[in-house]
Amino acid sequence: MISQVVKDLKEGRLDPEEYVERYYDRISKFEKKINSFITLRSKEEVISDVKESIKRGGRLAGVLIGIKDAISTKGIRTTCASKMLEDYVPPFDATVVEKLKREGAVILGKTNMDEFAMGSTTETSYFGPTRNPWDLERTPGGSSGGSGAALAAGFVDLALGTDTGGSIRAPAAFTATFGLKPSYGTVSRYGLVAYANSLEQIGPMSKNAEDLGLLYSIIAGDDPRDATTIPYEVKEVPSEISVNGLKVGVLKDILEASEEPVKGIINRIIDKLSSEGAVVEETKLGYAEYALPAYYIIAMSEASSNLARYDGVRYGYSKYGDGNWKETFSKNRGDGFGLEVKRRIMLGSFILSAGYYDQYYVKALKVRRLIKNSLDQLFAKFDVLVSPTMPILPPKLGEMVDDPVKMYAMDVNTVIANLAAIPALSMPAGFYNNLPVGLQLMGRYLSDTFLVGISMFVEKLTKIYDATAPLQ
Amino acid sequence: MPKIGLEVHVHLNTLKTKLFCSCSSDYINKDPNTNTCPVCLGLPGAIPVLNEKALTYAIMVALALNCEIAPALVFSRKHYFYPDMSKNYQISQYDGPGSMAVAKSGVLEITNKKIRIRRINIEEDPAKIIYPTGSMLTSKYTLLDYNRSGIGLLEIVTEPDIESPKEAREFLEKLRSILEHLGVCNCDMEGAMRADVNVSVEGGERVEVKNVGSIKDVENAIKYEIARQKAAIIQGLKVERETRHWDSERGISVPTRTKETDEDYRYFPDPDLPPYPISKDLIKKITAEMPELPDARVKRLVEQYGISRKEASILVMDKALADFYENTAKLYKDYKKLANLILNDYLRWLNDKNIRASESRATPEAIAKLLSLLDKGVITIKIVKEVLPEIVLKGADPDQLIKESQLTAIRDLEYLEKVVEEVIKEDKDAAEAAKNDPKVINFLVGKVMKRTGKRADPQLTNELIRKKLGV
């Protein structure tokens, strides 16, 4: 528990150097195999920051944290796992980073991800794929795979991810860690390198439910620099939540469509909840079959616009000095972006062009509204909706990345929450042949801390928390 | 009749900040790229946040131009790659599905005519491009200055109702006066008001001349385009749809190399800027707080000061001039004489020197004092004209000025009689002719003036000459 670490550091029971050393030891042993960091800070710098931070105090005084490399950190390069931003060092901190620093957290490094968060396996990174600490042949999920893998490998106990269509929850599910995609507008996006603005949120990742709630309470809150944040005061995580009488909806279609081992593990949890007094009922989300295409249409459209700024003029990859600006822009963009990013820019540009806009983009927005309405109806009846986070077990490296349709289909359970702006949490549900399976909890808009409360109860049932992969 | 439409870009330079960040809106005369931040440089992760005052300004202009106001402020992204763009899209507004301009369907009345306003947009200005070693086509390299990037703009688009260069000028002068009366733009600032000019003549297609920097240039560009297009048609050439640039140095428009097609800007609502509702109450509140507009002011000046409608119109055309008139009128009560001096002597001199009224350093006190010195006969009208430049350029005090340069009118009878006698003695023929011809008397008055350094009281001199000649 992070709260205990903070206390021990403050009261001198834990030596700051020893504390930091412990993580760097594991990193030096295993990071070569995992590749969870794009940029790791030097141990000396980190130790000095930790000591300083303990003196100043705060709810995270001295605690190490990994930050997904899509989040701007002043003075530390922020690459978004792209050649385009390989050497880009932001002159400012994202709002969430400011908030973390104010509470005394110390950045250990910047974690690996799919390039510009476009991917579900952390394989599209310019800096090479991240491997799953539970099985090095497999991916840790994505796009926040570096954060998930670093937690599971014991490199760090807290991390930030970002979630546009499941990018926090997929790695949480595949690495037996905890991740929350917050309600849209509760966490500032200022400083988050934009992929799809209307869908994405920065969110906490951790090894247990309590730490998840603590990290969320620190990063949440409205921000005058992000007009999409809402006036919001984070509610306390309910400490002694009971599932007795809790109305639980099981998304049957989604469960049925999952791989057998995943289905089995989730069913066992549902049975446990039922025997604890939860009122469990199977239900169905309307328009679910349109969620995935609607999601990808919106995400790619916004992405094509957001990524227009990378031309090499003000920052970023810029190799070509000669020729006119059109040639230079084309060459910089052609060389600087990876294949998946280019695919999404091209599809997004196509969707937004005259004649197709109404046919695709406007229609996708309609689907989005219908899904939201359908969820509103479900939440009139249920307190929480449960499903597997991912329909499959962690795939092997290379299994998905070359088949975009297959890769996009991995996100079928997770994109719903992004389309509807509601909170969604993934937590460890169990293991199948030592491969983690994640449980997804979705709740009403702004019920984030309530979901964390439920996960605290569930982790007592599963007894899976603070899980670290047995690396050799 | 040629058809002319204008797209006027107005800098919201009286907002204290840029449109979407807290950088200063005062970007002129600053070192390049010092008035910037992550937002206006388009750095990764930066998010725009609207300066809400811009909406108030847009609504004021919309009301002044009798427009329909949209129920919500929606910003769209207009995509095109160009080196002056920090994000390769411009945050603008789009009048189409899922989006709307802040105002549309208005009208501005000029002499005997109504010019329809198609729409008003709020948008951001791009960076400034500098070609250090030549023109756009010849410079070896290009410099970019982002100090201007993100400055708020209003784009005011007319229907093609304008039919002559003169009408275009009148429209723009009236628009400028409205903007200044509303306080939304200091139009004297360099580049504060620019226009894209669309001109078509009968038998030809529409030609757009981009980025014309002043009202005078708009008039010239239209004149040039009409002549050029008509000449082409007479020669049997086709006038095709194209975009041209205005070269104000040479006074000609030049073709750009871009091919004229309907560019696909891939507009879509900016997901970083949620729609901002424009309530009836907000419009009511702004309506109640609207300052006096030019038309109302002309009417009031005629009633309050008894000057002619034409005089009042000229004064109001330049808000600073009308303000100056009214402030001086508090100190000097012969309003007609004051209007006469300001419109004939003061304004003419300013126009000759290409100085705007707002740049003059003359104070109402100085002009009032000057007029009362004239009334008392201490100085002559010629002296008034002579000292105006000092007053305008240096803010000189008339008392001091006249004392120092000994410019008071000479009314000393003995001295004047002596000079008159000399002049008559020197030019006997003229003296003889003057007996029958008043014009020649004026000639002799002129000679006396010259000899006295323009200080002789002209009325008194005239009387003395007549007396001497027995006329």
Side-chain angles (χ1 to χ4, degrees):
Chain A
M1 305 289 165
I2 292 300
S3 53
Q4 193 57 48
V5 173
V6 174
K7 225 171 153 206
D8 290 348
L9 283 171
K10 188 184 168 198
E11 290 164 10
R13 277 187 299 275
L14 179 57
D15 178 64
E17 283 185 38
E18 245 172 70
Y19 165 70
V20 174
E21 205 81 52
R22 201 200 297 158
Y23 294 100
Y24 274 90
D25 269 358
R26 275 191 81 80
I27 290 168
S28 63
K29 275 192 198 133
F30 304 120
E31 168 65 1
K32 269 210 179 92
K33 292 179 182 167
I34 310 290
N35 193 30
S36 58
F37 288 99
I38 290 175
T39 303
L40 190 67
R41 293 180 69 209
S42 83
K43 189 164 72 184
E44 292 65 35
E45 240 175 55
V46 168
I47 287 173
S48 135
D49 279 5
V50 166
K51 285 180 177 165
E52 189 60 34
S53 167
I54 292 167
K55 270 186 240 156
R56 271 187 284 123
R59 283 190 285 168
L60 292 178
V63 174
L64 301 181
I65 187 165
I67 308 279
K68 186 179 182 179
D69 213 18
I71 300 168
S72 301
T73 43
K74 187 176 178 175
I76 306 174
R77 74 170 176 160
T78 299
T79 68
C80 243
S82 181
K83 185 179 178 181
M84 185 60 89
L85 293 176
E86 190 176 0
D87 301 313
Y88 170 68
V89 179
F92 67 100
D93 270 331
T95 298
V96 292
V97 173
E98 273 182 4
K99 287 184 173 206
L100 287 171
K101 285 183 176 172
R102 213 174 298 142
E103 292 292 348
V106 175
I107 297 171
L108 179 67
K110 303 295 295 289
T111 58
N112 200 5
M113 55 186 280
D114 283 292
E115 185 181 0
F116 282 102
M118 296 177 188
S120 308
T121 60
T122 317
E123 286 171 284
T124 68
S125 170
Y126 173 65
F127 300 91
T130 298
R131 288 168 185 270
N132 192 326
W134 296 95
D135 180 345
L136 297 176
E137 298 296 303
R138 294 176 189 266
T139 92
S143 66
S144 312
S147 288
L151 288 167
F155 296 163
V156 70
D157 290 327
L158 283 182
L160 286 186
T162 71
D163 191 314
T164 311
S167 282
I168 284 175
R169 290 161 287 160
F174 287 163
T175 61
T177 57
F178 290 70
L180 173 69
K181 194 293 282 184
S183 297
Y184 188 82
T186 64
V187 179
S188 169
R189 290 182 297 109
Y190 188 80
L192 162 61
V193 181
Y195 160 28
N197 329 44
S198 77
L199 297 161
E200 65 203 1
Q201 285 281 285
I202 295 171
M205 296 178 78
S206 66
K207 301 182 79 162
N208 60 61
E210 187 192 293
D211 293 352
L212 193 71
L214 174 66
L215 187 51
Y216 177 66
S217 73
I218 288 169
I219 60 172
D222 59 329
D223 181 2
R225 290 180 295 189
D226 175 1
T228 63
T229 57
I230 54 160
Y232 178 65
E233 261 191 58
V234 190
K235 296 183 200 86
E236 289 269 320
V237 176
S239 54
E240 285 299 322
I241 215 165
S242 160
V243 299
N244 194 8
L246 189 77
K247 283 172 265 172
V248 177
V250 177
L251 294 175
K252 188 155 181 280
D253 298 16
I254 287 180
L255 186 60
E256 290 302 318
S258 306
E259 273 181 9
E260 274 313 317
V262 173
K263 217 190 294 179
I265 286 171
I266 298 301
N267 270 329
R268 270 202 296 284
I269 292 208
I270 292 166
D271 289 346
K272 273 187 193 165
L273 287 172
S274 186
S275 60
E276 291 289 329
V279 186
V280 178
E281 197 184 308
E282 287 185 339
T283 187
K284 187 176 177 289
L285 173 72
Y287 306 97
E289 64 270 41
Y290 300 111
L292 201 61
Y295 164 78
Y296 272 100
I297 284 171
I298 293 168
M300 287 175 184
S301 301
E302 293 182 11
S304 73
S305 170
N306 289 325
L307 272 65
R309 70 186 61 192
Y310 304 107
D311 53 28
V313 171
R314 294 161 306 284
Y315 51 81
Y317 181 81
S318 180
K319 197 177 164 191
Y320 298 91
D322 292 332
N324 66 32
W325 66 265
K326 265 188 188 169
E327 291 158 3
T328 307
F329 280 26
S330 300
K331 282 174 178 164
N332 286 340
R333 289 170 67 77
D335 281 6
F337 288 136
L339 181 67
E340 184 59 30
V341 171
K342 279 190 247 186
R343 183 180 357 251
R344 297 193 192 194
I345 290 173
M346 290 183 70
L347 286 168
S349 302
F350 170 78
I351 292 162
L352 288 181
S353 48
Y356 299 103
Y357 180 82
D358 290 347
Q359 220 173 318
Y360 295 109
Y361 188 75
V362 173
K363 208 168 266 180
L365 293 184
K366 277 182 195 154
V367 170
R368 186 175 191 174
R369 197 160 38 239
L370 290 169
I371 287 173
K372 204 167 174 298
N373 293 345
S374 171
L375 276 164
D376 284 346
Q377 282 167 17
L378 290 184
F379 283 123
K381 211 168 149 194
F382 298 107
D383 297 317
V384 63
L385 295 174
V386 301
S387 71
T389 308
M390 302 305 284
I392 54 171
L393 292 166
K396 292 203 163 144
L397 258 70
E399 206 179 313
M400 293 291 173
V401 71
D402 296 327
D403 185 345
V405 175
K406 218 165 147 192
M407 183 168 77
Y408 299 169
M410 288 171 70
D411 302 337
V412 64
N413 305 353
T414 48
V415 296
I416 297 159
N418 303 83
L419 287 170
I422 58 171
L425 184 152
S426 180
M427 64 181 295
F431 289 88
Y432 177 82
N433 284 347
N434 283 327
L435 294 176
V437 170
L439 170 75
Q440 176 173 248
L441 308 171
M442 289 194 281
R444 296 182 188 101
Y445 186 56
L446 301 185
S447 71
D448 306 62
T449 49
F450 175 71
L451 288 187
V452 175
I454 295 174
S455 74
M456 272 178 170
F457 184 88
V458 176
E459 78 181 350
K460 281 179 199 148
L461 296 180
T462 61
K463 300 199 172 57
I464 308 173
Y465 51 87
D466 295 334
T468 302
L471 288 162
Q472 307 268 312
Chain B
M1 281 290 190
K3 277 188 170 179
I4 301 158
L6 300 174
E7 280 181 40
V8 187
H9 293 99
V10 178
H11 266 163
L12 295 174
N13 54 16
T14 58
L15 287 179
K16 290 195 174 68
T17 69
K18 292 184 178 179
L19 191 53
F20 296 115
C21 63
S22 53
C23 289
S24 171
S25 61
D26 176 15
Y27 69 93
I28 291 168
N29 296 330
K30 286 187 175 163
D31 286 342
N33 298 310
T34 56
N35 187 39
T36 60
C37 74
V39 173
C40 57
L41 284 174
L43 294 192
I47 299 178
V49 178
L50 176 69
N51 177 339
E52 288 175 18
K53 188 91 189 173
L55 174 62
T56 304
Y57 282 2
I59 292 174
M60 280 163 66
V61 174
L63 290 169
L65 298 180
N66 311 293
C67 291
E68 289 169 25
I69 295 167
L73 180 65
V74 182
F75 285 104
S76 289
R77 294 180 178 180
K78 179 182 181 178
H79 300 89
Y80 60 99
F81 284 92
Y82 207 72
D84 62 1
M85 303 274 282
S86 61
K87 305 179 286 296
N88 287 312
Y89 61 79
Q90 180 189 31
I91 304 177
S92 179
Q93 295 192 291
Y94 176 57
D95 206 16
S99 201
M100 58 193 120
V102 67
K104 60 178 184 179
S105 307
V107 67
L108 177 64
E109 213 172 324
I110 59 172
T111 313
N112 303 323
K113 190 158 187 181
K114 286 178 173 168
I115 308 296
R116 288 171 301 155
I117 307 294
R118 185 178 294 167
R119 60 177 158 80
I120 301 175
N121 284 345
I122 308 177
E123 59 187 33
E124 56 175 351
D125 214 7
K128 196 172 176 181
I129 299 187
I130 296 144
Y131 303 106
T133 67
S135 74
M136 180 166 70
L137 299 176
T138 62
S139 186
K140 286 193 195 101
Y141 61 100
T142 303
L143 294 175
L144 290 166
D145 179 4
Y146 289 87
N147 285 353
R148 195 182 71 185
S149 171
I151 296 277
L153 283 179
L154 282 187
E155 185 187 56
I156 301 165
V157 183
T158 74
E159 298 290 348
D161 293 344
I162 298 167
E163 290 172 311
S164 70
K166 196 168 155 268
E167 279 182 8
R169 191 188 66 200
E170 193 186 341
F171 173 85
L172 289 172
E173 281 176 345
K174 183 143 186 197
L175 179 63
R176 181 175 66 188
S177 175
I178 288 171
L179 297 169
E180 293 198 324
H181 278 84
L182 293 175
V184 304
C185 175
N186 178 355
C187 298
D188 291 339
M189 300 291 277
E190 171 202 324
M193 210 171 150
R194 290 172 285 162
D196 296 343
V197 183
N198 287 288
V199 182
S200 63
V201 299
E202 213 162 311
E205 298 230 34
R206 174 168 68 83
V207 173
E208 183 173 23
V209 185
K210 280 232 181 254
N211 219 3
V212 188
S214 70
I215 296 180
K216 215 180 175 86
D217 272 344
V218 168
E219 201 179 1
N220 291 337
I222 294 172
K223 272 186 201 158
Y224 179 84
E225 269 307 304
I226 292 173
R228 187 187 68 81
Q229 292 177 30
K230 276 187 175 165
I233 286 168
I234 289 166
Q235 287 169 44
L237 300 170
K238 262 192 178 168
V239 176
E240 287 186 343
R241 219 177 130 185
E242 66 166 334
T243 303
R244 300 174 72 88
H245 272 271
W246 178 246
D247 183 336
S248 83
E249 299 271 301
R250 290 190 288 166
I252 59 168
S253 70
V254 289
T256 55
R257 280 191 189 165
T258 53
K259 210 156 182 230
E260 181 66 31
T261 47
D262 271 318
E263 200 166 343
D264 189 349
Y265 292 120
R266 291 178 283 117
Y267 283 103
F268 87 112
D270 193 321
D272 284 331
L273 294 160
Y276 192 99
I278 303 174
S279 67
K280 292 248 155 61
D281 284 348
L282 178 66
I283 296 173
K284 220 183 267 173
K285 184 171 169 274
I286 293 171
T287 309
E289 289 166 5
M290 285 277 275
E292 186 182 40
L293 288 169
D295 283 349
R297 192 174 193 187
V298 168
K299 222 174 136 202
R300 181 174 60 76
L301 291 188
V302 170
E303 282 164 14
Q304 189 174 342
Y305 300 104
I307 57 177
S308 74
R309 205 186 145 74
K310 194 179 169 203
E311 286 171 324
S313 300
I314 299 171
L315 286 171
V316 171
M317 203 62 100
D318 184 344
K319 177 176 181 287
L321 191 69
D323 290 348
F324 187 72
Y325 175 79
E326 292 210 74
N327 288 331
T328 313
K330 285 180 194 147
L331 308 168
Y332 182 79
K333 300 295 171 191
D334 189 342
Y335 302 135
K336 283 188 178 176
K337 199 167 184 180
L338 174 62
N340 198 33
L341 178 88
I342 286 189
L343 293 176
N344 290 329
D345 302 304
Y346 183 71
L347 183 61
R348 189 168 299 160
W349 189 80
L350 289 180
N351 287 345
D352 279 354
K353 300 292 171 199
N354 214 359
I355 298 170
R356 290 214 68 200
S358 57
E359 295 164 329
S360 166
R361 294 183 62 190
T363 61
E365 287 76 16
I367 298 298
K369 210 182 265 174
L370 207 56
L371 279 165
S372 66
L373 288 172
L374 181 68
D375 286 347
K376 285 181 199 145
V378 179
I379 55 171
T380 66
I381 186 68
K382 289 214 157 102
I383 297 300
V384 169
K385 288 178 191 180
E386 201 155 286
V387 297
L388 267 176
E390 286 284 296
I391 292 171
V392 169
L393 294 175
K394 295 181 185 156
D397 171 48
D399 273 343
Q400 197 79 14
L401 196 64
I402 285 159
K403 215 178 190 174
E404 276 170 14
S405 4
Q406 299 183 311
L407 292 171
T408 45
I410 298 169
R411 312 196 64 190
D412 184 329
L413 272 179
E414 230 173 275
Y415 173 70
L416 279 184
E417 272 176 2
K418 212 177 103 210
V419 180
V420 166
E421 263 173 42
E422 278 170 25
V423 166
I424 289 175
K425 214 184 266 173
E426 276 167 27
D427 198 340
K428 286 197 177 119
D429 294 348
E432 203 53 40
K435 287 178 183 168
N436 299 315
D437 189 349
K439 271 190 211 148
V440 185
I441 294 179
N442 285 344
F443 169 76
L444 292 172
V445 172
K447 287 209 136 187
V448 174
M449 295 304 277
K450 203 171 176 186
R451 195 151 299 187
T452 57
K454 293 182 190 161
R455 289 168 61 209
D457 184 320
Q459 196 61 37
L460 196 58
T461 308
N462 194 303
E463 278 167 26
L464 286 173
I465 291 171
R466 285 165 187 275
K467 206 169 126 196
K468 197 85 196 161
L469 296 175
V471 186

